[in-house]
Amino acid sequence: MLKLKDLQEMGNVTFGDAANVTLDNIQTAITDLAKQNGIPVAFYQEDAKDGGLFGSTYTALVAYHPEHRRDYFNMAMIMTKQGNFGNVSVYAAGKSKQMNKFARSDASKAGFGAAIAGGGSFAVGQMIGGALGSIGKSKARLQEEQTYYEIILNIIGAALNE
């Protein structure tokens, strides 16, 4: 089960004429548009909890890159309706190996720089851990991953506003 409080929002799409729109319709529309544009995407559904014990539970449609299911973020879509309008909120779920590598590298550099500037000690283990954790980072692969998210968000918008 996904916990919405642990996820980062990637975007929102509001659309009209939502009375008969379901997650299955959305999946079909996204699949068709992605296929027309040569973009790989796969799906599964999972429950998502918002709030504590008495919070709401939603069914999330989760999109992912079939070749990068474990190393790219999955994109969890939660649909809500109000009147004749619908809203799909898209959340980053899971982990991104490249973003994690860049975050470790940045933290290691910041800690090392602070230790040098302050004359204080910077834990050698932290520096080594940050350096080892960033092995394999690639700006090109990170850009490719981020472009994938942008494309899927655009496809979601197009699918819902056709």
Side-chain angles (χ1 to χ4, degrees):
M1 176 175 294
L2 300 171
K3 294 181 181 173
L4 293 183
K5 69 179 178 105
D6 297 335
L7 306 180
Q8 182 177 350
E9 192 168 332
M10 298 176 88
N12 272 308
V13 177
T14 301
F15 57 99
D17 208 19
N20 296 319
V21 176
T22 66
L23 290 177
D24 290 334
N25 301 131
I26 293 171
Q27 179 177 338
T28 299
I30 293 169
T31 300
D32 291 347
L33 281 172
K35 191 175 202 175
Q36 289 170 19
N37 290 286
I39 302 299
V41 65
F43 299 90
Y44 65 94
Q45 290 189 8
E46 186 168 340
D47 286 338
K49 181 84 169 164
D50 188 20
L53 183 61
F54 299 107
S56 300
T57 301
Y58 302 95
T59 300
L61 176 63
V62 183
Y64 63 93
H65 192 301
E67 295 170 17
H68 298 282
R69 181 161 185 186
R70 303 272 184 242
D71 57 338
Y72 278 19
F73 285 120
N74 294 334
M75 300 172 77
M77 293 171 264
I78 306 291
M79 182 175 59
T80 56
K81 295 180 183 179
Q82 197 169 61
N84 210 24
F85 285 90
N87 183 70
V88 171
S89 297
V90 184
Y91 298 90
K95 296 183 185 334
S96 163
K97 286 184 180 178
Q98 282 299 316
M99 287 187 189
N100 186 35
K101 289 176 189 294
F102 275 86
R104 284 177 172 249
S105 175
D106 291 345
S108 179
K109 287 177 190 174
F112 185 71
I116 297 292
S121 65
F122 177 71
V124 174
Q126 286 179 312
M127 185 172 62
I128 293 171
L132 290 176
S134 65
I135 291 174
K137 77 176 190 174
S138 164
K139 286 183 182 180
R141 284 190 283 192
L142 178 63
Q143 182 60 46
E144 182 179 312
E145 179 179 342
Q146 290 173 327
T147 300
Y148 180 77
Y149 302 141
E150 289 175 29
I151 290 169
I152 294 297
L153 286 170
N154 285 331
I155 288 174
I156 293 167
L160 291 171
N161 287 300
E162 284 190 326

